[in-house]
Amino acid sequence: MADLFVLLEAAWRAPSAQGKCLAVDALIPVYLTLCQDQPLAEAMYPAPDCASVGRPARPVCVPPESLPFRKAVDKDGRAALLHAIAHIEFNAINLALDAAWRFQALGPAFVRDWIGVAIEEAYHYRLIAERMAQLGIAYGDLPAHDGLWRIAEQTADAVLARMALVPRLMEARGLDALPPIFRSFQGIGDKATLRVLSIIARDEVRHVALGDAWFRRLCEAQSLPVAETYQRLIVTYDVPRPRPPFNEAARRAAGFEASELTALVGR
Ligand SMILES: [Fe+2]
């Protein structure tokens, strides 16, 4: 336990995707200890500026609007789609580690939840990287955009906004994106990728649910209304809006109420 944040820092700072995944593996014994409801034995260990997070020199980051819309209808489309998913998974490792480290003051249950997410995101990254290797591509071969990490930077001092805008907004948008991505790979009969995506889809619902649960807890502690506060934060931070069609079954499983989904559709 004594080295929880030392291990966390090593994973957060690891620049290569492979090195980061290995550093996340090293957190598994700590994670299992936290699962036994152990208190955090350590003094506060503050997280540095988000800008110093470890990431590889490639992929080159470009504005989101300069990336083409991707569909797995041909070889290049499939490569681009898998690469985009790998980039999301890589960022998701950093985002989960960052939440556990930066907002450690919320206590051992919070730290445990987000270390658990980081472990699953590293698993997802490896599954996608393995599938890409079978198809002759590697993470870093194509450009990517940095939208997710920019939101982490924007919310570095505000856990309420972080929970609202990373898991409950951006990752929930990821749930919405999954059905068309599934159809796209079904269309080309790529069963190997579909198997990987099924694992990711299952776990991502739980990650959004964790974000939803922590967001609700934080709202309750400050006597804030959930749906209105969520909308207010989206506007205040000027981030991408929830965009229908929603994956309603996945969103409900992750904690969104029918009334909030209806209100989101109406906007
Ligand atoms: Fe993931």
Side-chain angles (χ1 to χ4, degrees):
M1 274 301 285
D3 49 4
L4 187 165
F5 290 107
V6 173
L7 292 170
L8 213 157
E9 176 170 18
W12 189 90
R13 289 192 189 277
S16 78
Q18 205 187 7
K20 194 174 293 286
C21 289
L22 288 171
V24 169
D25 288 348
L27 278 162
I28 292 174
V30 177
Y31 172 70
L32 295 174
T33 312
L34 287 169
C35 286
Q36 293 159 0
D37 284 330
Q38 294 291 316
L40 288 176
E42 291 138 78
M44 291 294 282
Y45 190 98
D49 194 273
C50 281
S52 49
V53 73
R55 51 182 161 188
R58 294 177 70 85
V60 172
C61 280
V62 298
E65 55 279 8
S66 66
L67 289 171
F69 179 74
R70 315 160 188 100
K71 235 177 163 187
V73 288
D74 56 22
K75 191 166 162 282
D76 288 349
R78 174 161 70 170
L81 198 45
L82 285 169
H83 191 276
I85 297 170
H87 185 63
I88 290 169
E89 300 298 349
F90 178 82
N91 272 287
I93 304 171
N94 276 342
L95 286 162
L97 293 171
D98 191 79
W101 187 6
R102 195 168 303 283
F103 304 116
Q104 65 197 267
L106 268 73
F110 184 88
V111 173
R112 176 196 62 210
D113 280 352
W114 296 103
I115 290 179
V117 172
I119 292 166
E120 289 187 346
E121 301 295 15
Y123 173 49
H124 295 172
Y125 174 83
R126 282 175 166 136
L127 288 173
I128 288 287
E130 200 177 312
R131 183 68 192 122
M132 285 164 66
Q134 288 163 359
L135 298 167
I137 43 168
Y139 180 50
D141 283 355
L142 297 171
H145 75 78
D146 207 20
L148 262 177
W149 194 251
R150 267 209 302 273
I151 297 178
E153 291 176 336
Q154 282 178 278
T155 56
D157 60 350
V159 67
L160 180 75
R162 174 69 68 87
M163 291 296 108
L165 304 182
V166 174
R168 207 174 188 272
L169 174 71
M170 297 306 285
E171 293 187 53
R173 278 170 52 107
L175 297 182
D176 298 333
L178 279 168
I181 292 174
F182 266 87
R183 282 195 293 275
S184 189
F185 284 100
Q186 269 158 356
I188 56 167
D190 184 346
K191 290 194 179 127
T193 300
L194 287 167
R195 270 194 295 276
V196 169
L197 291 176
S198 302
I199 295 168
I200 292 178
R202 175 200 68 192
D203 295 343
E204 294 304 341
V205 170
R206 206 169 49 248
H207 300 172
V208 177
L210 279 179
D212 176 74
W214 280 107
F215 179 66
R216 286 175 189 277
R217 233 169 280 177
L218 292 162
C219 282
E220 201 183 328
Q222 298 175 50
S223 303
L224 294 168
V226 170
E228 291 81 353
T229 303
Y230 181 64
Q231 283 296 338
R232 176 175 58 76
L233 289 166
I234 289 171
V235 173
T236 306
Y237 284 84
D238 192 23
V239 288
R241 307 296 196 259
R243 199 170 50 197
F246 297 133
N247 183 347
E248 290 195 22
R251 278 180 176 263
R252 289 222 188 111
F256 281 82
E257 282 163 16
S259 58
E260 188 179 2
L261 285 180
T262 309
L264 287 177
V265 175
R267 280 170 195 270

